Amino acid sequence: MNYFLVKSEPFKYSWEQFNKDGRTFWDGVRNYQARNNLKLMKEGDLVLFYHSNEGKHIVGIAKVVREFYQDPTTDDANWVVVDLAPVESLKHPVTLEQIKAEESLKDISLVRQGRLSVMELKANEFDKILEMGS
């Protein structure tokens, strides 16, 4: 199992809307590092859902339900999407401030590369965030 984090601005696509939809393809990625992270995702991998700009907190867990394929919003073959489905909301959203204050999370991309929209997490980082959100 691999672990990831995806970011979305809540006014564009919120955790609440994602739950209503029940499934979505994760589009709009136009950064090669983020795209490469999408390509690493395998069916069943778990993904933390982060509200960026407004809120700045992790609000829920999703899972990969379809591995990468051509982004249907563009004809450019460089860009791909994966399908995600919501799993559960965190009991307590985990803020960026809390993450930055946690020594064991100081090296995650959310802290080091603030603009990266799709990032890989280590199992212990994923577990720590879940612990913080329970």
Side-chain angles (χ1 to χ4, degrees), residues 24 96 103:
T24 193
L96 180 59
E103 180 63 24

Side-chain angles (χ1 to χ4, degrees), residues 56-76:
K56 295 186 180 180
H57 49 249
I58 297 169
V59 292
I61 307 164
K63 69 179 173 182
V64 179
V65 293
R66 182 178 175 192
E67 295 177 18
F68 80 90
Y69 58 98
Q70 170 65 43
D71 184 336
T73 67
T74 180
D75 292 330
D76 187 335

